[in-house]
Structure formats: C-alpha cells, structure tokens
Amino acid sequence: MILVLANRADEGAAALVDRWQYVGARIVLPEMLSAWGFSYRAGGKESARAMVDCDVDESCIRGVLVRMHAALPSDVTYVRASDRSYVATEMTAFLLAWLSALSCPVLGRPTSTSLAGPMLRPEQWLHVAGKAGVPVRPVRRSSRQSNQEKPIVTEVVTVVENECIGARSEALADRALAVARAANARLVTTYFEGPLDNPVFVHADTWVDLDDPDIEGAVLSILCGQQAREKEMVP
C-alpha cells in the first residue's frame, strides 16, 4: 500500500491516487485523525491503523508521499471556527512524529519547517547551495519595487532521491544533487540559469510537478520499487 498525505483541497493528490490504484494507493487527509477511537503511541502500531480507517497494519505500508506542508484550518471545518488553528497545529505535530518514525520510504521526509521537507526562504536556499559549493545568483532586496531583480530561470531539474530529472548536462545534475543533499531534501525541484557546463543556482522548491510522467514514475519507483514502474509502462 502506498499512502499519499495531502490537504483536502489538493485535487492533484486525489488524481494521483486514482492513477496509482493498481499499486493500492490511498489518500490520507488530516480529518482522518479525528476518527473515533484514534490514539497514538510512539513506537506502536495504532497510529497507522487509524490513518487508514483502522483496517491496515503499519507493516503493510510500502511508502508514503507527503504532499502537504502542514494541516490547515481549512482541513478541519467540522471543528468550531475558534479552535481550527489549534486543532490543525496539533495534527501537524502528530504527523511530524508519525512520519519521522516510519521505516518505509517517505517522500519528502518531514523537517521542523514542513511535513514535505525543508521549506526555506529564497535567501536560505542560496545559503544552503553556497555552502555546498554550488555557484549561486546573488539576491538584492530593495524597498523600491521597481528595483527588484527577477531571476531568469533557464534550467529546471527535479531531484527524486538520487535521480535527476530534466538535467541536460552532468554539471546540472551534480549541482542539483549537491543542493538537495545539503538541504536534506529527497524530493525537490531546483532552478538554474546560465550555460549548461556552468549553471548558477537560482532557487529550489519542494513542491514538485507530479503531472510530469518522468517525475511521477521516479517517485513511484522509490515508494514501491522498480517493478511497479515497469508495470506502469506496459501498454
């Protein structure tokens, strides 16, 4: 079984689960944490049963794709309005603990800033890349809106574990991997500008385009193995 963790409004996640029915994909929404009788014990199995309607053991979960940065108040509209932010925050804390304890593949692995991997500001991504030895495009901030410089992105590389999708040169692949590893991000899209043999890092984002068949296939391979990907390619 593959679990896709998403916010209720994420129509892309629902479509992805529909496409992955043949590998037993199921969607997990924050509201499922409100199931009657739900409980969580660190190191126990109760959490997984509750997450999937109380009928599946955690050992049956082959992989988890995280499509949400946090549970949102809009995920718990059945809760009194004044309590929604609190409930959403508590759900996020639970999901952080649960995802961190899973032994199966998790894309992306949660961090203190997001359930879906590092959620960094542009300057923080540049700092991470620079520390990894990757040339970066400096950012200048100004109170004058007209003086804001817009980066010119010419290359987009998505890193799925150790695979670089969209890299048109070895230098692009090497630098995209270096940024991903320095940020401890297993699923991230990186943006570059400049020549293929000497690309300059511009930005990164852990929200990847899963409508891209290559990215979707690579993610599925990590979550449930190469066999599933080969089955998907059979006409």
Side-chain angles (χ1 to χ4, degrees):
M1 173 183 296
I2 301 298
L3 300 183
V4 178
L5 181 60
N7 297 109
R8 168 163 283 281
D10 188 349
E11 296 179 355
L16 190 67
V17 169
D18 285 342
R19 295 198 298 273
W20 287 359
Q21 284 301 305
Y22 69 95
V23 292
R26 299 176 69 166
I27 197 165
V28 177
L29 303 173
E31 66 191 53
M32 293 179 179
L33 302 183
S34 296
W36 178 255
F38 171 82
S39 64
Y40 172 69
R41 296 177 184 174
K45 298 180 179 178
E46 290 80 358
S47 58
R49 290 196 179 96
M51 297 279 287
V52 290
D53 299 335
C54 307
D55 62 353
V56 175
D57 190 273
E58 183 172 325
S59 61
C60 297
I61 302 174
R62 301 169 65 184
V64 179
L65 173 64
V66 184
R67 288 265 302 179
M68 55 186 282
H69 294 300
L72 303 173
S74 57
D75 290 314
V76 291
T77 54
Y78 54 88
V79 175
R80 185 169 56 188
S82 59
D83 293 335
R84 290 173 188 169
S85 294
Y86 171 78
V87 172
T89 300
E90 289 295 303
M91 287 181 170
T92 301
F94 161 76
L95 290 169
L96 175 63
W98 180 70
L99 291 169
S100 299
L102 287 176
S103 57
C104 64
V106 177
L107 292 174
R109 182 66 70 171
T111 67
S112 59
T113 55
S114 168
L115 295 177
M119 188 169 66
L120 306 179
R121 295 189 296 272
E123 292 83 355
Q124 291 175 308
W125 277 114
L126 294 177
H127 179 68
V128 168
K131 289 188 67 176
V134 175
V136 303
R137 183 185 191 279
V139 171
R140 295 182 176 85
R141 297 289 184 184
S142 172
S143 58
R144 298 180 179 178
Q145 188 65 29
S146 59
N147 288 343
Q148 300 288 347
E149 295 184 25
K150 295 183 179 179
I152 301 174
V153 174
T154 56
E155 301 295 332
V156 179
V157 180
T158 296
V159 178
V160 182
E161 197 86 351
N162 295 314
E163 185 174 353
C164 293
I165 300 167
R168 298 197 298 145
S169 71
E170 186 173 346
L172 268 170
D174 289 344
R175 292 179 180 182
L177 273 176
V179 173
R181 289 168 178 167
N184 195 26
R186 303 176 65 191
L187 183 63
V188 61
T189 295
T190 56
Y191 302 89
F192 293 85
E193 65 178 13
L196 291 177
D197 61 348
N198 187 27
V200 176
F201 177 78
V202 173
H203 185 51
D205 192 343
T206 54
W207 188 262
V208 305
D209 180 12
L210 288 170
D211 289 330
D212 183 311
D214 291 334
I215 297 174
E216 180 184 337
V219 168
L220 195 58
S221 292
I222 297 298
L223 295 179
C224 57
Q226 185 66 30
Q227 184 177 5
R229 187 176 183 180
E230 292 173 348
K231 181 178 179 180
E232 184 184 44
M233 296 172 64
V234 173

